[in-house]
Amino acid sequence: NTTYYWRIDQVNAAGTTTGTVWSFTTAQTIKINFQPSASSVPSGYEVDSGATYASRGNGLSYGWDTASTQTRDRGVDSDQRYDTLNHFYTNTWEIGLDSGTYNVWVVFGDPEYDDMTNTMDIEGTTCTDPDGEDYFDEYNIQVSVTDGRLTIEPATGADNPKICFIEITP
């Protein structure tokens, strides 16, 4: 988070300077790329290489309910965010967040294979794959976190889902 400060000074009739300081904090977007740990990391992103939920030492806690070791770096898309992925199978992925409302942009898919239906549950909201098996599905939704964790898992109708990257903004 970045905090900005403003100070407004005024001089009263007696020549005394008074001031008021206002501040506000801008919330930073959390960006996580799902990829093998040895792959190059897109600028501004943190890495998720399939480890179980824990503190990552970067101020964030996130991960899988069980280790998800099926990360891939396909080497076919020039945008590393779309070129890397992890298979979801029946796993659950979570990130620790304060209670509140968040905008979530998440991309599911695989640049090399179109063998998945990415119908997913994102913090209680079912995002139904609009076009069936294809390369990518993107969801941009707003969710409310009330239990300290944003949760993503396959929903009914999912088939071989894969996740590429996520951006979360308070």
Side-chain angles (χ1 to χ4, degrees):
N1 292 340
T2 304
T3 303
Y4 296 92
Y5 296 94
W6 277 274
R7 180 176 175 97
I8 308 254
D9 289 321
Q10 299 172 342
V11 179
N12 64 20
T16 304
T17 302
T18 60
T20 304
V21 177
W22 289 282
S23 69
F24 72 93
T25 302
T26 60
Q28 291 184 330
T29 298
I30 298 167
K31 298 177 180 182
I32 299 173
N33 196 57
F34 296 83
Q35 64 178 69
S37 58
S39 293
S40 63
V41 182
S43 179
Y45 282 77
E46 302 295 336
V47 172
D48 185 298
S49 58
T52 57
Y53 184 92
S55 172
R56 298 291 169 230
N58 56 8
L60 300 173
S61 293
Y62 56 85
W64 301 82
D65 59 338
T66 58
S68 183
T69 59
Q70 298 298 314
T71 57
R72 301 286 186 269
D73 188 335
R74 297 292 190 205
V76 297
D77 196 302
S78 61
D79 187 332
Q80 186 71 345
R81 299 172 308 160
Y82 289 86
D83 197 55
T84 55
L85 59 101
N86 199 344
H87 289 256
F88 234 102
Y89 298 115
T90 59
N91 294 20
T92 297
W93 184 85
E94 294 184 303
I95 183 167
L97 296 173
D98 292 333
S99 293
T101 302
Y102 295 86
N103 290 319
V104 177
W105 177 37
V106 61
V107 174
F108 297 93
D110 187 327
E112 199 166 45
Y113 297 98
D114 63 355
D115 62 346
M116 71 221 93
T117 302
N118 295 304
T119 296
M120 304 299 291
D121 182 301
I122 303 171
E123 194 58 29
T125 299
T126 299
C127 297
T128 303
D129 190 324
D131 48 12
E133 291 186 351
D134 61 352
Y135 293 98
F136 293 103
D137 295 294
E138 300 186 20
Y139 302 114
N140 193 349
I141 66 168
Q142 189 173 78
V143 299
S144 292
V145 173
T146 59
D147 63 355
R149 291 188 183 187
L150 180 135
T151 304
I152 301 175
E153 58 193 348
T156 301
D159 183 31
N160 194 27
K162 302 167 188 170
I163 188 169
C164 297
F165 65 93
I166 188 170
E167 295 186 6
I168 305 164
T169 306

